[in-house]
Structure formats: structure tokens, C-alpha cells
Amino acid sequence: MSEKYEHYYVPDQSPWPIVGAVALFMMAFGAGHFVNDVTKDQSGYGGYLLLAGVATLIFMLVGWFRNVIDESMHGLYSKQLDRSYRQGMSWFIFSEVMFFGAFFGALFYARMIAIPWLDGASNNASTAAVLWPAFEAAWPLLKTPGGTETQAMPWQGLPLYNTLILLASSVTLQFAHIGLEQNKRGQLKLMLGLTILLGACFLALQGVEYVHAYQDLGLKLDSGIYGNTFFLLTGFHGLHVTLGAIFLLVMFLRIVLKNHFTAHKHFAFQAAAWYWHFVDVVWLCLFVFVYVL
């Protein structure tokens, strides 16, 4: 008896991977030079290269996702390919977990190991005497060896409001998902639109927080290890919120303009929801370890 094999769609050769690689290289190279230019208060080409990389990345994403959507809507994808997409998204989120784990690890090392050593903890009395005799272990570290002083960002106010906003966005997104599974298109559109709006509010308030940090607290990227870890963690998280909001906006436009997705076929929406919930969990960890503790 012949065995029936499931069809697995293999697309034609595509230019999008190399375009994406070039875009990411331009962004990384440009961002590095841009940060260096800002910290040294001088002009350079880093910002322009960064913008060119972002534009190229957007061009790649629009073209590639348009091809993938067309292939899916024409019924070219099988259940096996659907499983491949789910595995790919799962590994992508896992890589993001490791990404943030590295920065949380740096924060842990600075707070629990490096700073106590500078104060002579364990067998490092001679190290403390040589490197920074007047140092006292405390976190946040508000004065650097070079004399730079800053203030800590309190967890009350904007950070707390942003936490509540992101938690609310997870709830609204879950209601949107329920609406999709129950074929309630009105609930789906309303709750998904509200989720995007809450994400935009979060980003706007984070911008206000950064202005407050720079102007009122003297808290900057070059404000020692505290300023470094604060802006790296919150900044990269804000970048991921932006990316997640774009994911959800694309889903919203597909639903409103093209009436895409059904109760039984909506992995793109589900993948965007996974990513958004992941971003929310990261923020909860960040709020606790960066702001509260």
C-alpha cells in the first residue's frame, strides 16, 4: 500500500534574506557610531547610516511579509509548514529571552559582585584600597569614580503607570484573541485596536520619562553603571515594544482591510500575541529589578 506524504511548500529563491542582512549590518554599524558621536558631542555619519539601515529593513519586511501572506492566502502552506512556523517563532522568542538574560545578568553582576568587591567584600580589601578607597557599596551607584553624579529613577509615577498600561494591554489582547476564536469580529477589532493604543501610550510615557531623566535627574547613558544598565534595559525593551506594536498593527490592518484570519487559521495573529505577552513579562521583571529593588 502506498504511503501518502504531506506536501511541503518550498518557495523560489528570494532576495529578501540578503537585503535583511545588509539592513541589520547598516543598523548595527550606524548605531555604534551614533552612540559614540552623541557621547562625545560631535557630529558624524552614524545617525544617517542607522536611518538608512532602518529604511532598508522596513523595505525588506514589507516585501517579504507580502510574499508570505500571498502564499498563505493561496493555500500553499500545509500543516507541516505551520508547525515549522510555530517552532521558528518559539525559537525566536527563546533567543529574545537569552538577549534580555544577558543584560539582566550584567545588572546582577554589577549589583551583587562588582560593587561589593569595590568596597572590599570577600578577600578584596586591597583591591578596594587601590582602586577606590572612599567607595561605599550601594545601589543604585549614583556617583562614578570620575565624579559624575546622578539621581535614581523612582518606581512611582510614570514607571508604575506604564506597568499598569502594559498589563492592561495583555488583557485586551487576550480578549481580542477570544473574539477571533469565537468569530466575534467586532470584539476582535475593538480589543486589538485598544491594545495598539495602549502600546502607543506606553512608548509616549517612556519618552516623557527619558526627558525627565535627562533634564531633571541628570540620569544619562554615560552616568556610570547605573545609567548604562537603566537605559540599555529600558531602551531595548522600548524597541521591542515598538516592534510588537508594529506586529499588532499589521494584524489589525489585515483584519480591517482584508478580513484575514479565521477561528481555525490565524497563526500570524497568534505569533504576534505571543511576542506581545513576552514583552509584557520582560517589563514586569525589569520593573521589579531595575526600578523597585
Side-chain angles (χ1 to χ4, degrees):
M1 184 175 63
S2 62
E3 186 175 355
K4 184 178 179 181
Y5 290 95
E6 194 174 67
H7 173 72
Y8 192 94
Y9 174 71
V10 179
D12 295 331
Q13 290 187 353
S14 171
W16 300 124
I18 186 63
V19 174
V22 171
L24 292 175
F25 175 79
M26 294 168 63
M27 290 175 61
F29 199 77
H33 280 270
F34 177 72
V35 171
N36 185 63
D37 295 336
V38 170
T39 54
K40 294 184 178 179
D41 196 21
Q42 55 182 310
S43 59
Y45 62 88
Y48 299 105
L49 188 60
L50 175 60
L51 291 176
V54 171
T56 305
L57 183 66
I58 293 174
F59 171 72
M60 181 274 294
L61 290 173
V62 171
W64 202 343
F65 277 101
R66 181 183 57 197
N67 291 351
V68 172
I69 291 171
D70 289 341
E71 292 166 355
S72 177
M73 297 307 295
H74 283 86
L76 298 177
Y77 293 166
S78 63
K79 292 183 179 179
Q80 185 178 359
L81 191 57
D82 181 70
R83 290 192 294 270
S84 295
Y85 276 122
R86 293 176 184 274
Q87 292 172 2
M89 191 63 190
S90 299
W91 281 113
F92 171 67
I93 293 178
F94 176 76
S95 71
E96 295 283 54
V97 172
M98 295 297 100
F99 177 85
F100 279 101
F103 288 107
F104 278 111
L107 177 65
F108 173 82
Y109 179 84
R111 292 180 59 174
M112 309 303 296
I113 299 178
I115 288 179
W117 281 2
L118 287 174
D119 195 29
S122 185
N123 59 343
N124 294 281
S126 58
T127 301
V130 172
L131 294 180
W132 199 352
F135 178 78
E136 294 182 3
W139 187 265
L141 190 60
L142 302 180
K143 184 175 181 179
T144 68
T148 301
E149 295 188 17
T150 186
Q151 300 180 54
M153 178 66 70
W155 63 268
Q156 303 93 334
L158 290 178
L160 179 59
Y161 298 153
N162 265 348
T163 302
L164 297 176
I165 287 172
L166 271 191
L167 289 175
S169 72
S170 273
V171 175
T172 56
L173 182 58
Q174 182 61 27
F175 276 110
H177 197 175
I178 293 173
L180 177 56
E181 291 179 332
Q182 296 179 354
N183 201 28
K184 297 179 180 178
R185 308 295 287 190
Q187 176 179 323
L188 167 63
K189 296 174 184 178
L190 176 62
M191 291 294 102
L192 183 55
L194 185 56
T195 302
I196 297 170
L197 181 61
L198 289 172
C201 290
F202 174 90
L203 293 173
L205 287 180
Q206 190 168 47
V208 173
E209 180 186 341
Y210 278 7
V211 172
H212 171 62
Y214 264 68
Q215 294 182 351
D216 302 327
L217 303 181
L219 179 59
K220 302 179 180 179
L221 187 61
D222 59 351
S223 300
I225 186 65
Y226 174 64
N228 269 227
T229 54
F230 175 83
F231 281 106
L232 282 174
L233 279 164
T234 59
F236 274 120
H237 178 268
L239 180 63
H240 284 72
V241 171
T242 303
L243 182 59
I246 293 173
F247 285 170
L248 295 178
L249 179 60
V250 172
M251 299 303 109
F252 183 77
L253 294 176
R254 289 183 63 184
I255 291 168
V256 173
L257 300 179
K258 298 292 186 178
N259 201 31
H260 285 180
F261 306 126
T262 65
H264 302 289
K265 188 177 180 182
H266 56 266
F267 173 67
F269 178 92
Q270 193 174 28
W274 288 357
Y275 191 81
W276 190 258
H277 292 311
F278 157 74
V279 168
D280 288 353
V281 172
V282 171
W283 177 259
L284 287 177
C285 296
L286 195 153
F287 180 69
V288 172
F289 292 108
V290 175
Y291 289 94
V292 178
L293 298 182

